[in-house]
């Protein structure tokens, strides 16, 4: 049920990364384990056009609900992932689908794509991850009423082929997922969670009689996974694997829909400790992402929810009938509120919501929300995709569709935000999944949105006068070749920027295994520090803007 706060109503792979003249291990801090690296640099292309904003391109994919008008749960749409599947250095686009095949759009360069239909239907989340650690990136999909599907990449470099199979001993139906090395043993573990409301509608009381599903950690053990159940119930639309208590170990944040409170587990020794009480949290958590928005070296966490941006008569006429159906009574001990939250960790270790103060508390009926330096000024911006089509909820509107624009928020440089209308990202095509990455090799962040009942869109970044550095850290020969969990710190003359490598974030959407840094005008790079997932550290110097770096750690 929905409520709003009263205030708003007022090895070999390593050799491939060597430069033609050889590679020199970068220096590292002497008091930490040193990880020598082999480095290959490539120049970023110069943008052919500068138009001060983003240019939309329709993609050859449309996610369908399978009904004339999408019903509840079908209306949730599907995700998108970016990643290099054929080893040519360009990220492909993978789009999940409900009533139809998923799409793999092979990146041929210059924003040209060749579609390959993937026989995966009823798909929700998608991630590009090297499941079997063979150096070839695979695809993993969660599906509405079936176990996750692993499309194992069995091809050679430049010739990706896929074999469909289940994940070993992952025997439940899940909605959301995320991957990271949670036990520091070098391989990737899986966290997955269910969306019980949809399962209950599909299976009826049989679902609860069988014990439900909930939240699981699947520990990688050799060629299989060992299940650990953390919760017996969930309404999980999003999962974030990020350090929440400052111990440099990844914790688990499960974002739940409806009035089910988010679930948080902190890593404690070899087990888990439920905790991290929040003074305020979203009521209907649609998306989770993290990033250092104020460049203080700590990640902040953004959760999206449903709250109209404008409060004029026309807007409220569209929202109020739905609100009357879903609003529930307020209670003094419930920290949930139907609005976005921006959680910021204070010096006392507590997390507090500052979304209202930083002007990102409302963005519409919001789905995937992600941080990215869209204008390359050194500060992370925020993009939120919006829209809803649902029979039963919006029957008072044409086509039962709440039409709202996506919302782009420009970082003012201090961690507060202002709406960036001039970027032209305000599509009204009913977005769901969304991811960011450099798809044309010019160094800036392009955006891909998987819409519902409308063609997916690629938004080409043509913001003018930008400077970039992109970094692809790799751990060839390890059980985590894409270095998921690596933390990168770029020290400039007057700022320090922190980013990390993750498998999935936002809403059901996989992230590329490369890190993007926008560089403020006149900034000079001093060092790039990489904290590898295995605890080692590398420090690179003498870097210049306008490069794409392939950094492979050596044993």
């Amino acid at each position: 049920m929905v409520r709003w706060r009263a205030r708003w109503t007022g090895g070999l792979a390593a050799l491939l990364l060597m430069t033609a003249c050889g590679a020199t291990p970068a220096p590292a801090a002497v008091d930490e384990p040193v990880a020598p690296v082999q480095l290959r640099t490539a120049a970023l292309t110069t943008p052919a056009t500068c138009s001060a904003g983003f240019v939309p391109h329709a993609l050859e994919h449309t996610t369908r609900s399978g009904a004339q008008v999408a019903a509840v749960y079908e209306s949730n749409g599907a995700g998108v992932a970016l990643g290099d599947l054929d080893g040519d250095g360009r990220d492909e686009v993978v789009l999940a689908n409900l009533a139809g095949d998923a799409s793999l759009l092979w990146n041929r360069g210059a924003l040209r794509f060749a579609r390959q239909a993937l026989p995966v239907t009823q798909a929700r989340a998608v991630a590009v991850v090297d499941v079997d650690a063979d150096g070839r990136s695979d695809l993993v999909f969660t599906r509405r009423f079936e176990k996750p599907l692993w499309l194992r990449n069995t091809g050679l470099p430049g010739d990706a082929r896929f074999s469909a199979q289940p994940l070993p001993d992952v025997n439940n139906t899940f909605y959301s997922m995320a991957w990271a090395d949670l036990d520091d043993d070098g391989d990737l573990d899986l966290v997955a969670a269910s969306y019980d409301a949809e399962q209950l509608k599909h299976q009826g009381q049989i679902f609860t009689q069988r014990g439900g599903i909930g939240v699981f950690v699947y520990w990688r053990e050799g060629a299989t996974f060992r299940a650990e159940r953390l919760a017996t119930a969930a309404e999980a639309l999003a999962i974030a694997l990020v350090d929440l208590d400052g111990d440099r170990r990844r914790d688990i944040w499960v974002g739940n829909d409806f009035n089910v409170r988010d679930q948080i587990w902190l890593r404690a020794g070899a087990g888990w400790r439920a905790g991290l009480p929040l003074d305020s949290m979203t009521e209907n958590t649609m998306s989770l992402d993290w990033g250092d928005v104020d460049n203080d070296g700590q990640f902040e966490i953004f959760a999206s929810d449903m709250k109209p941006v404008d409060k004029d008569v026309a807007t409220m006429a569209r929202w109020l009938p739905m609100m009357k159906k879903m609003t529930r009574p307020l209670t003094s001990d419930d920290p949930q509120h139907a609005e976005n939250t921006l959680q910021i960790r204070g010096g006392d270790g507590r997390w507090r919501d500052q979304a209202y103060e930083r002007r990102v508390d409302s963005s519409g009926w919001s789905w995937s929300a992600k941080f990215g330096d869209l204008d390359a000024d050194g500060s992370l911006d925020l993009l939120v995709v919006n829209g809803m089509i649902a029979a039963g909820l919006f029957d008072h509107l044409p086509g039962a569709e709440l039409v709202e624009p996506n919302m782009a928020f420009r970082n003012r440089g201090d961690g507060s935000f202002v709406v960036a209308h001039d970027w032209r990202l305000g599509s009204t095509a009913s977005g769901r999944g969304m991811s960011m990455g450099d798809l044309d090799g010019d160094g800036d962040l392009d955006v891909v949105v998987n819409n519902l009942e409308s063609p997916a869109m690629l938004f080409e970044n043509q913001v003018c006068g930008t400077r970039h550095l992109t970094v692809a850290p790799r751990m060839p020969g390890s059980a985590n070749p894409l270095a998921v969990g690596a933390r990168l710190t770029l020290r400039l003359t007057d700022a320090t920027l922190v980013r990390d490598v993750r498998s999935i974030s936002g809403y059901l959407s996989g992230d590329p295994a490369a890190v993007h840094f926008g560089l403020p005008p006149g900034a000079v790079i001093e060092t790039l520090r990489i904290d590898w997932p295995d605890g080692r550290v590398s420090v690179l110097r003498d870097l210049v803007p306008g490069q794409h770096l392939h950094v492979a750690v050596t044993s």
Side-chain angles (χ1 to χ4, degrees), residues 3-344:
R3 61 180 173 142
W4 283 266
R5 293 195 202 190
R7 64 187 182 191
W8 70 255
T9 61
L12 173 61
L15 295 176
L16 297 175
L17 299 179
M18 295 179 67
T19 59
C21 60
T24 301
V30 295
D31 58 340
E32 297 175 290
V34 175
V37 299
Q38 293 175 323
L39 178 67
R40 180 169 63 109
T41 64
L44 299 170
T45 61
T46 301
T49 307
C50 163
S51 65
F54 288 76
V55 176
H57 303 275
L59 297 174
E60 192 181 352
H61 173 90
T62 300
T63 292
R64 300 291 188 188
S65 66
Q68 185 174 359
V69 178
V72 176
Y73 309 136
E74 287 84 357
S75 62
N76 290 11
V80 56
L82 307 181
D84 183 5
L85 295 169
D86 56 4
D88 65 355
R90 295 188 292 260
D91 284 332
E92 274 66 56
V93 178
V94 187
L95 296 141
N97 201 349
L98 297 180
D101 289 336
S103 295
L104 169 52
L105 305 183
W106 293 103
N107 191 340
R108 303 308 188 202
L111 296 184
R112 294 177 293 109
F113 297 89
R115 181 179 183 268
Q116 175 184 345
L118 299 175
V120 184
T121 60
Q122 297 292 318
R124 287 294 193 191
V126 56
V128 177
V129 59
D130 191 350
V131 175
D132 54 359
D134 64 353
R136 294 185 290 261
S137 294
D138 309 308
L139 297 173
V140 179
F141 292 87
T142 61
R143 296 179 291 174
R144 295 180 68 195
F145 309 122
E146 298 181 68
K147 303 173 188 177
L149 183 66
W150 171 24
L151 294 189
R152 183 172 176 240
N153 190 339
T154 60
L156 301 173
D159 181 28
R161 302 177 185 181
F162 299 95
S163 171
Q165 55 196 83
L167 291 169
D169 290 323
V170 177
N171 297 316
N172 288 295
T173 300
F174 294 111
Y175 191 105
S176 53
M177 65 174 168
W179 298 76
D181 181 7
L182 296 175
D183 53 2
D184 302 319
D185 66 351
D187 54 27
L188 292 182
D189 309 300
L190 167 66
V191 179
S194 60
Y195 191 54
D196 291 353
E198 184 175 38
Q199 295 298 320
L200 186 60
K201 179 183 177 182
H202 178 65
Q203 300 182 26
Q205 291 303 317
I206 294 176
F207 175 70
T208 54
Q209 291 170 4
R210 290 176 175 173
I213 300 175
V215 182
F216 279 79
V217 178
Y218 285 94
W219 301 103
R220 188 65 191 246
E221 295 185 347
T224 189
F225 292 88
R226 174 179 58 84
E228 178 185 1
R229 196 179 195 183
L230 297 183
T232 59
E235 301 290 355
L237 297 181
I239 299 173
L241 303 182
V242 60
D243 179 13
L244 297 171
D245 55 3
D247 66 354
R248 296 196 175 188
R249 305 183 75 184
R250 297 217 165 206
D251 306 303
I252 299 173
W253 185 324
V254 173
N256 286 309
D257 198 2
F258 307 118
N259 62 344
V260 178
R261 298 189 189 186
D262 288 1
Q263 299 156 297
I264 295 171
W265 290 272
L266 305 177
R267 196 80 176 119
W272 299 99
R273 173 174 61 86
L276 196 66
L278 301 174
D279 297 330
S280 177
M281 68 174 68
T282 46
E283 182 175 288
N284 314 274
T285 306
M286 319 288 273
S287 171
L288 291 168
D289 194 24
W290 59 94
D292 183 8
V293 301
D294 49 12
N295 291 338
D296 66 349
Q298 294 191 118
F299 288 137
E300 286 71 52
I301 299 174
F302 183 81
S304 64
D305 203 328
M306 309 173 301
K307 179 180 175 181
V309 176
D310 299 315
K311 314 304 181 295
D312 58 272
V313 172
T315 298
M316 298 314 296
R318 293 191 292 269
W319 277 75
L320 281 173
M322 178 278 303
M323 292 166 60
K324 290 178 180 178
K325 296 176 184 177
M326 299 183 67
T327 299
R328 65 186 178 91
L330 299 172
T331 60
S332 59
D333 63 341
D334 190 346
Q336 298 174 105
H337 300 274
E339 62 184 12
N340 303 333
T341 61
L342 179 62
Q343 302 288 348
I344 295 179

Side-chain angles (χ1 to χ4, degrees), residues 330-538:
L330 299 172
T331 60
S332 59
D333 63 341
D334 190 346
Q336 298 174 105
H337 300 274
E339 62 184 12
N340 303 333
T341 61
L342 179 62
Q343 302 288 348
I344 295 179
R345 188 166 182 257
D348 59 358
R350 289 189 63 86
W351 293 80
R352 294 179 176 85
D353 174 28
Q354 293 189 15
Y356 195 77
E357 293 79 0
R358 301 195 183 213
R359 299 182 179 273
V360 290
D361 58 296
S362 61
S363 51
W365 193 294
S366 301
W367 297 92
S368 197
K370 294 198 180 192
F371 294 116
D373 191 354
L374 297 172
D375 57 355
D377 65 352
S379 297
L380 290 174
D381 309 298
L382 176 67
L383 178 62
V384 186
V385 297
N386 291 324
M388 186 59 170
I389 307 170
L393 279 184
F394 290 104
D395 292 341
H396 59 287
L397 298 177
E401 180 175 5
L402 178 66
V403 178
E404 294 184 311
N406 300 334
M407 298 290 294
F409 298 90
R410 178 189 288 114
N411 193 324
R412 296 174 181 266
D414 60 358
S416 64
F417 297 85
V418 60
V419 177
H421 296 292
D422 55 319
W423 285 350
R424 303 192 300 273
L425 284 166
S427 168
T428 57
S430 208
R432 298 295 186 272
M434 178 265 290
S435 196
M436 303 176 184
D438 178 15
L439 293 172
D440 52 5
D442 62 359
D444 55 28
L445 289 176
D446 307 301
V447 178
V448 178
V449 179
N450 193 356
N451 298 312
L452 181 64
E453 306 291 4
S454 296
M457 301 295 295
L458 186 155
F459 295 89
E460 177 189 358
N461 192 331
Q462 292 188 0
V463 175
C464 303
T466 56
R467 301 163 70 237
H468 313 267
L469 183 74
T470 64
V471 186
R474 297 291 183 264
M475 301 177 67
S478 77
N480 182 10
L482 297 179
V484 174
R487 180 183 174 101
L488 284 72
T489 304
L490 187 69
R491 187 174 299 279
L492 309 175
T493 48
D494 56 356
T496 300
L497 313 181
V498 180
R499 309 284 187 264
D500 69 340
V501 181
R502 72 277 298 271
S503 63
I504 201 166
S505 63
Y507 174 67
L508 305 180
S509 297
D511 297 291
V515 170
H516 167 265
F517 292 98
L519 303 175
V524 176
I525 300 173
E526 295 183 349
T527 60
L528 171 66
R529 172 179 169 132
I530 303 176
D531 287 85
W532 298 95
D534 62 5
R536 292 182 293 170
V537 173
S538 300

